[in-house]
Amino acid sequence: MSEIISVSGGPTKPEIIAVSLSKLGLRDGDRFADVGCGTGSISIEATKLARNLTIYAIDARKEALRATEMNFKNFNIKNARILAGEASDLLSSESFTDTIDCAFVGGTKNIGSVLETLVKKKARSIVVNAVRIETVVRTIEAMKKLGIFDEVVHISVSRSAPIAGETMFKPENPVYIIVGKKQN
Ligand SMILES: C[S@@+](CC[C@H](N)C(=O)[O-])C[C@H]1O[C@@H](n2cnc3c(N)ncnc32)[C@H](O)[C@@H]1O
C-alpha cells in the first residue's frame, strides 16, 4: 500500500478521520465534497465506506492540490474532480451545477459562506473539523442560523511512544468535530 504524500496541515490523523466520517453517514452513490482537501486523505478514506462516490476535492493551495492529485493516483481514486480555489466561490459559481449530498470541511476559511453554499447545494450532512475555539463558535453560530446544527464532539487523542524500553502516551492537539444535518 502507498504512503500518503503529506502537506502542511495534513493528513488529518486517522482517529479524527474515523469519527468525522462516521458522523457524516456517507451512502453509496453520494456526491461528496472534501473542502480544504489538503492531501486528499479524507476522500481516500471515504471511498472505503461507500461505493461509487463522486468526489469534489477542493483546495485554495497549489501544493495541496498537487499532493491530492498524486495521492488520488497512488490510491487509485476514481470519479474525482480536483478543484482549485476558494470553496464558496467554486461551489456557488454558475459553472458548478451539481448538487452535493455530504461534505467534510477541513479548511475553515470563510466558513459562514462555505456552509451557506453547501446548504444551497442541498447537502444533507456536513462535518467540520476545527482546532481554534473561535472557529468552533463561528461554525456553531452559522449552522444554527442555517437550521442545521446537530452536535459538537471534542476529541483528544494520546498516542503510545517508546520510553526507556517501555511505553508512555503523548497527547496530540485536540480537534472539535462539528456536525450539521439537514432537518426533515
Ligand atoms: C488542515 S488542512 C486539511 C487537511 C486535510 N483534511 C488532509 O487530510 O490532508 C486545511 C486545508 O484547507 C484549505 N482551505 C481552507 N479554507 C479553504 C477554503 N475556504 N477554500 C478552499 N480551501 C480552503 C487550506 O489551503 C488547507 O490546505
Side-chain angles (χ1 to χ4, degrees):
M1 179 57 88
S2 303
E3 278 278 307
I4 196 142
I5 294 162
S6 59
V7 285
S8 65
T12 301
K13 296 282 189 295
E15 295 79 8
I16 305 298
I17 298 181
V19 177
S20 297
L21 289 180
S22 80
K23 297 286 179 190
L24 200 57
L26 283 162
R27 298 177 194 155
D28 293 348
D30 271 351
R31 283 187 282 260
F32 170 62
D34 184 355
V35 176
C37 58
T39 59
S41 70
I42 302 279
S43 295
I44 293 168
E45 291 306 311
T47 63
K48 298 175 187 169
L49 297 176
R51 282 175 294 189
N52 301 322
L53 294 179
T54 302
I55 293 168
Y56 306 89
I58 301 168
D59 209 293
R61 282 192 304 162
K62 281 200 179 102
E63 63 269 34
L65 296 161
R66 269 197 302 270
T68 296
E69 199 176 345
M70 284 190 282
N71 286 323
F72 281 5
K73 195 167 167 235
N74 292 343
F75 285 82
N76 200 25
I77 301 303
K78 308 274 190 233
N79 281 341
R81 284 175 64 189
I82 300 175
L83 305 171
E86 158 59 40
S88 55
D89 292 343
L90 284 171
L91 292 169
S92 62
S93 74
E94 274 181 23
S95 57
F96 190 92
T97 52
D98 297 355
T99 54
I100 297 290
D101 300 301
C102 291
F104 172 85
V105 183
T108 53
K109 198 166 168 216
N110 301 323
I111 187 66
S113 312
V114 169
L115 291 172
E116 204 180 320
T117 309
L118 288 169
V119 167
K120 281 192 190 142
K121 286 277 164 193
K122 304 193 184 319
R124 69 164 192 276
S125 177
I126 302 171
V127 169
V128 179
N129 277 187
V131 292
R132 297 183 216 165
I133 195 69
E134 291 84 355
T135 310
V136 177
V137 173
R138 267 198 290 276
T139 303
I140 293 172
E141 282 176 353
M143 282 188 176
K144 282 188 175 165
K145 210 166 138 197
L146 292 163
I148 60 165
F149 178 69
D150 186 42
E151 64 172 343
V152 187
V153 181
H154 174 261
I155 310 270
S156 285
V157 171
S158 293
R159 197 173 301 283
S160 63
I163 181 166
E166 298 195 328
T167 306
M168 66 174 290
F169 283 84
K170 286 194 175 168
E172 294 179 358
N173 289 337
V175 177
Y176 294 85
I177 296 174
I178 310 142
V179 184
K181 299 268 179 203
K182 191 173 174 179
Q183 309 299 319
N184 296 317

